[in-house]
Amino acid sequence: MGGAVSAGEDNDELIDNLKEAQYIRTELVEQAFRAIDRADYYLEEFKDNAYKDLAWKHGNIHLSAPCIYSEVMEALDLQPGLSFLNLGSGTGYLSSMVGLILGPFGVNHGVELHSDVIEYAKQKLDFFIKTSDSFDKFEFCEPSFVTGNCLEISPDCTQYDRVYCGAGVQKEHEDYMKNLLKVGGILVMPLEEKLTKITRTGPSAWETKKILAVSFAPLVQPNHTDSGKSRLVHLPPVAVRSLQDLARIAIRGTIKKIIHQETMSKNGSGLKNPPKFKRRRVRRRRMETIVFLDKEVFASRISNPSDDNNNSEDLEDERREDEETKPSELKPDPPVNFLREKVLSLPLPDPLKYYLLYYREK
């Protein structure tokens, strides 16, 4: 699936395009998308395609198109402290973005069929925690992944506030998916070729909304053992935070508030003369449905009679913008991790500093 927006040159430009096309509509979702670089979840040799609005699949590794993830994130209506279950969690890209919104008191679980993909997701999660400055800008709800078929979840599992299924669900499994939800919870899944949002309004009451037409690979049916018994999937227990964890969260939160107050006192209401940066003009493209065929993604473009004229006009406009902005265009300063700098400057023993920084190294 995908192809709804133009390709970006980097992650921020991809998000700009998704915003302009109204796939990203809320600030929380925008912040989560900007905080995690989509290219980090690609294999090195395929990173050139990371900012295209297309799905990607290599072996068992799979990423949905950015426009699909943004619609899913918006439909889930995520809030801090909620519990989330990702069925077909894959690379962990979506689970990590969700974790930035859920915060330290949320629950973030994923079920993935393939053990090699679980290992890939854990590597990517570890890379994000150790290297990304975004980790220090948010209080993160770290995802936990388990291997198994999401149609074989143990019946005694807890219910969740939010559930997403990343594979096509047939009508026969609709009630099974609904039963994973708490009252007041939201389920988003591809149901009969439509991305569907289902809200549980009561013990046996539901509201259903179709979001958009999609094409997902169907859920893999359970493969029973020779004895005829299914392999039940046991989800991680919901653990209570330790006092040590709570102290770290509180200390980091206090330091962030101090940094924010210091910044506000220096700059007043904001930057007096913010630097200007060039923003590439977005060329809109309309695409037919993009489908998987023999593990490859294909797309066909719908021609528009005025495309050629518009493209030449866009190029001319871009040339003029380049000439106008060249003198005043400034290079942005490299981002500073103020939380990290503040922690390292504290008069504390090194082991405590490293604990406050989650033992991260650069």
Side-chain angles (χ1 to χ4, degrees):
M1 287 295 306
V5 301
S6 300
E9 293 179 4
D10 55 29
N11 196 66
D12 278 329
E13 196 165 282
L14 172 63
I15 309 314
D16 288 343
N17 294 344
L18 290 168
K19 276 189 68 182
E20 183 143 350
Q22 288 293 299
Y23 284 100
I24 292 177
R25 299 178 289 278
T26 58
E27 187 177 347
L28 270 179
V29 172
E30 179 185 351
Q31 288 174 349
F33 267 84
R34 290 196 190 278
I36 297 183
D37 196 320
R38 181 175 166 89
D40 290 342
Y41 288 79
Y42 274 67
L43 292 169
E44 194 64 39
E45 60 267 35
F46 299 103
K47 285 191 175 183
D48 288 346
N49 297 317
Y51 308 121
K52 295 177 181 176
D53 187 30
L54 295 173
W56 172 66
K57 185 173 175 64
H58 181 79
N60 292 325
I61 301 169
H62 172 253
L63 280 166
S64 292
C67 68
I68 300 297
Y69 282 135
S70 52
E71 283 288 3
V72 168
M73 291 275 284
E74 293 287 358
L76 285 170
D77 189 22
L78 298 160
Q79 302 296 329
L82 296 181
S83 56
F84 172 66
L85 177 62
N86 189 355
L87 304 175
S89 51
T91 65
Y93 172 63
L94 177 66
S95 291
S96 292
M97 287 195 293
V98 169
L100 297 175
I101 297 176
L102 297 183
F105 305 114
V107 174
N108 194 355
H109 294 163
V111 180
E112 170 56 43
L113 183 62
H114 304 287
S115 58
D116 60 324
V117 180
I118 290 275
E119 287 308 308
Y120 186 85
K122 288 178 178 177
Q123 291 170 16
K124 296 302 179 184
L125 176 62
D126 188 56
F127 179 81
F128 169 69
I129 290 173
K130 286 185 175 178
T131 67
S132 175
D133 283 337
S134 294
F135 181 81
D136 286 329
K137 295 174 184 174
F138 296 80
E139 291 298 343
F140 187 49
C141 182
E142 188 172 331
S144 297
F145 304 113
V146 295
T147 308
N149 190 307
C150 66
L151 293 174
E152 296 181 303
I153 292 173
S154 175
D156 62 356
C157 82
T158 184
Q159 292 177 314
Y160 290 79
D161 297 302
R162 302 290 186 267
V163 178
Y164 171 64
C165 181
V169 178
Q170 299 305 311
K171 196 70 178 173
E172 62 195 87
H173 298 304
E174 181 179 356
D175 288 341
Y176 170 88
M177 296 292 178
K178 286 178 175 179
N179 287 331
L180 297 170
L181 271 187
K182 293 178 181 179
V183 173
I186 295 173
L187 164 67
V188 178
M189 61 181 177
L191 180 64
E192 297 184 314
E193 304 297 310
K194 296 283 194 303
L195 189 64
T196 305
K197 175 181 178 179
I198 298 175
T199 305
R200 188 169 195 170
T201 56
S204 56
W206 314 85
E207 286 181 359
T208 302
K209 178 184 178 183
K210 304 291 185 184
I211 301 172
L212 75 163
V214 292
S215 177
F216 276 67
L219 283 170
V220 175
Q221 299 302 306
N223 182 19
H224 296 303
T225 60
D226 294 338
S227 62
K229 294 181 180 178
S230 62
R231 302 180 184 90
L232 287 181
V233 176
H234 296 279
L235 295 169
V238 178
V240 178
R241 287 274 192 179
S242 69
L243 183 59
Q244 197 174 27
D245 267 355
L246 294 172
R248 173 165 59 186
I249 291 164
I251 292 168
R252 283 167 62 92
T254 301
I255 294 173
K256 285 179 183 176
K257 285 180 183 175
I258 292 169
I259 292 169
H260 177 69
Q261 289 167 359
E262 289 176 351
T263 304
M264 292 299 289
S265 64
K266 283 180 184 176
N267 299 331
S269 59
L271 290 172
K272 291 179 180 177
N273 294 305
K276 295 180 180 179
F277 307 113
K278 186 183 77 170
R279 187 176 177 280
R280 192 176 68 86
R281 181 180 295 275
V282 175
R283 294 197 191 95
R284 292 181 177 275
R285 295 182 300 168
R286 293 185 297 139
M287 307 292 290
E288 292 177 346
T289 302
I290 293 170
V291 298
F292 288 108
L293 182 60
D294 194 22
K295 295 187 178 180
E296 296 292 336
V297 178
F298 291 88
S300 55
R301 185 164 188 260
I302 300 175
S303 297
N304 188 320
S306 61
D307 274 356
D308 292 337
N309 291 334
N310 287 342
N311 284 347
S312 60
E313 288 172 11
D314 286 343
L315 288 170
E316 182 62 26
D317 287 344
E318 282 183 14
R319 187 185 64 76
R320 284 200 208 99
E321 285 177 9
D322 284 343
E323 289 174 356
E324 290 170 6
T325 57
K326 263 179 188 175
S328 59
E329 196 172 299
L330 300 173
K331 263 194 162 185
D333 293 328
V336 178
N337 189 328
F338 292 106
L339 177 66
R340 183 180 180 82
E341 287 193 347
K342 198 78 167 178
V343 169
L344 292 175
S345 69
L346 293 173
L348 297 172
D350 284 346
L352 183 50
K353 292 180 186 178
Y354 300 145
Y355 175 75
L356 289 173
L357 293 171
Y358 286 86
Y359 300 104
R360 295 172 69 215
E361 294 178 0
K362 283 225 172 178

